[in-house]
Amino acid sequence: MSTCSTVSQDLDEPIAGTAATATTWLLLEQPGPWGAKALTQSHLDPALGRALEAAAQGTGVRIALIRRPGRHADCGTLAERRVYAAHTAPGNVWLHSATTRDPRQLLDLDFAALGKGDHRSFGSALQGQPHTRGPLALVCTNGKRDRCCALLGRPLAAELAASGVDGVWEVTHLGGHRFSPTLLVLPYGYAYGRAQAHAVKEVLHSVQEGRIVVQGCRGNSAWERPGQAAELAVRSAAGVYAAEALSVVRTDGAAPRWEVTVAHVDGRHWRVVVAQEASVPPRPESCGSVLGSPARMDVVAVRELTVTTAVAG
């Protein structure tokens, strides 16, 4: 059976620079079935879903629903729901968790502050605390958005959970259906595509040690797409794998060509040239869609700057 993911893999489509963008992720547990627009098409009150979407608009916060791997029958009202908030910008990475009996409490959050990395309202509104267990592995399984997410994502989530991996959740939408199964790892916010269970376990083990696996990585959600591709290119070229070592400090230019400055916490800087190209031949961006030419981020050059060049910009 030909699907958008098999076509993408057969064409060896690059995945760097394809992660969803969000400085902060807000995750709400919601069992049961999800529609394509899960916040308003699930067993969550659709009026609350619309209000949350409006509150998050333009703040850098991305809201998603999560559920435990397994069967999705909703057997009545969930007494307590797990809520997570994670900020992914290097230098201020955090992951907090809470439980709530009333998801309307999420409307008391200061979304603008959350998007900037201030977690105080998560503590005051939900009595949230720092998450002290291992990283979260969020696998996209929403078949109503794309069948590949259900066909490939649900078995991956189930396999990880069955093998005892802690912190595995199904999530509503991470974008890039054609790279299924897709995965987001928190707290650092790196997304992965075409994920296999053994590779996910390696990613999670590395995250616990404060390292990032570049293989199969789509990028860090804290950056826009050119920055995602540039940061991964520097990691590969310079052998930098420490989780919070690199930041995208400047992006010059506009589509289809950017010059991205990537900085290391030790003071080193790199200038990365990223070009946007149309993928050829045309391919479906999701199952059932017309053929298109999705934009890809190609790294043209990676150059380490001298100190004087970096200061001069």
Side-chain angles (χ1 to χ4, degrees), residues 96-100 105 109 120-130:
H96 286 206
S97 66
T99 57
T100 181
Q105 287 184 304
L109 295 171
R120 286 176 295 182
S121 72
F122 192 78
S124 59
L126 297 168
Q127 287 72 57
Q129 298 289 333

Side-chain angles (χ1 to χ4, degrees), residues 91-256:
N92 186 30
V93 167
W94 49 260
L95 172 60
H96 286 206
S97 66
T99 57
T100 181
R101 291 179 176 272
D102 181 2
R104 289 175 295 183
Q105 287 184 304
L106 271 65
L107 293 174
D108 295 330
L109 295 171
D110 185 335
F111 283 84
L114 278 177
K116 294 173 182 174
D118 181 346
H119 52 67
R120 286 176 295 182
S121 72
F122 192 78
S124 59
L126 297 168
Q127 287 72 57
Q129 298 289 333
H131 178 71
T132 55
R133 303 181 70 170
L136 301 185
L138 307 167
V139 182
C140 184
T141 63
N142 191 350
K144 294 297 185 183
R145 289 198 70 99
D146 192 282
R147 62 179 174 170
C148 286
C149 298
L151 292 172
L152 301 174
R154 289 191 64 192
L156 174 62
E159 181 179 353
L160 290 169
S163 64
V165 176
D166 192 28
V168 179
W169 293 86
E170 298 187 9
V171 68
T172 45
H173 184 47
L174 298 176
H177 319 294
R178 64 192 185 280
F179 304 121
S180 295
T182 60
L183 173 88
L184 177 73
V185 179
L186 295 175
Y188 298 117
Y190 285 83
Y192 291 83
R194 303 178 186 137
Q196 302 297 319
H198 66 89
V200 173
K201 292 175 184 178
E202 180 188 349
V203 167
L204 295 175
H205 177 72
S206 296
V207 163
Q208 288 204 293
E209 296 184 344
R211 295 182 292 109
I212 300 302
V213 172
V214 174
Q215 180 86 15
C217 191
R218 300 175 62 195
N220 184 336
S221 74
W223 318 125
E224 297 295 328
R225 291 187 61 187
Q228 294 173 10
E231 190 237 28
L232 290 176
V234 171
R235 285 192 179 279
S236 296
V240 176
Y241 303 111
E244 294 186 74
L246 298 179
S247 293
V248 174
V249 295
R250 180 168 172 172
T251 302
D252 296 308

Side-chain angles (χ1 to χ4, degrees), residues 18-42:
T18 66
T21 55
T23 54
T24 301
W25 291 83
L26 180 62
L27 310 170
L28 171 64
E29 184 176 3
Q30 176 58 59
W34 298 329
K37 298 180 179 178
L39 277 179
T40 55
Q41 296 175 342
S42 70

